[in-house]
């Protein structure tokens, strides 16, 4: 009887430890902004001369203290001390521009419909996927529309070499 009680206690301890582990094994870490990075929403994707082109609506993305500062500058009469979710987006110019994706670009996702059942979508921080998979996701009608997320795009020599989906709570 003691043997079964010990096994049960160990099993419960293990299950409890795993249930409190963060999804993907890490906590959220903001994307480090670099001079060759732009942030924006992807409006559409098309192919031209064997390259995929993303039509981007560029935005200014702020997190943490920078988000609070920009929020208070622009929304002083809101009655709030800062942005509700610790980020702030400014989109004063909705002009679209096209950027080609390098065929070997790195694509890192945070959340998307992996199984075809949107209820099973969960966060996996910086999950790498192929450019082809990314294009497929952009072109798929889904309840979890990945075009609804901003993306941090690293551009080198006029071409996107890195795409990082920004998780928005």
């Amino acid at each position: 009887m003691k043997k079964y009680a010990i096994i049960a206690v160990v099993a419960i301890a293990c299950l409890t430890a795993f249930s409190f582990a963060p999804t993907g094994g890490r906590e959220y870490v903001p994307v480090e902004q670099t001079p060759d990075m732009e942030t924006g929403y992807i409006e559409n994707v098309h192919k031209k001369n064997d390259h995929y082109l993303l039509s981007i609506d560029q935005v200014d993305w702020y997190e943490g203290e920078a988000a609070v500062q920009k929020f208070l500058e622009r929304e002083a009469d809101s009655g709030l001390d800062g942005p509700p979710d610790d980020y702030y987006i400014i989109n004063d110019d909705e002009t679209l521009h096209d950027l080609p994706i390098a065929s070997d670009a790195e694509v890192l996702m945070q959340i998307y419909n992996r199984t075809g059942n949107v209820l099973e979508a969960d966060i996996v921080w910086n999950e790498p996927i192929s450019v082809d998979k990314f294009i497929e996701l952009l072109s798929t009608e889904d309840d979890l529309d990945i075009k609804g997320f901003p993306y941090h795009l690293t551009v080198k020599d006029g071409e996107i070499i890195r795409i990082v989906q920004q998780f928005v709570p």
Side-chain angles (χ1 to χ4, degrees), residues 67-123:
V68 171
Q69 182 182 353
K70 286 293 181 183
F71 178 84
L72 293 176
E73 283 174 18
R74 296 175 68 108
E75 313 281 345
D77 60 347
S78 71
L80 299 173
D81 294 335
D85 291 315
D86 203 35
Y87 68 89
Y88 191 65
I89 300 170
I90 297 175
N91 188 5
D92 291 335
D93 180 2
E94 296 182 23
T95 304
L96 299 180
H97 67 283
D98 289 348
L99 286 171
I101 305 174
S103 58
D104 62 345
E106 178 183 31
V107 180
L108 301 174
M109 299 295 287
Q110 314 312 323
I111 188 168
Y112 66 96
N113 187 350
R114 293 168 187 83
T115 66
N117 181 353
V118 72
L119 299 176
E120 295 175 353
D122 62 341
I123 299 168

Side-chain angles (χ1 to χ4, degrees), residues 31-40 42 52-59 97-102 104-106 151-164:
V31 174
E32 181 182 340
Q33 300 293 312
T34 62
D36 56 352
M37 182 181 293
E38 68 176 75
T39 301
I42 299 169
Y52 289 110
L53 293 168
L54 296 182
S55 293
I56 308 296
D57 176 10
Q58 190 171 353
V59 300
H97 67 283
D98 289 348
L99 286 171
I101 305 174
D104 62 345
E106 178 183 31
Y151 290 85
H152 303 286
L153 310 169
T154 303
V155 180
K156 184 176 180 182
D157 299 325
E159 191 173 57
I160 300 169
I161 61 166
R162 186 171 193 243
I163 300 168
V164 181

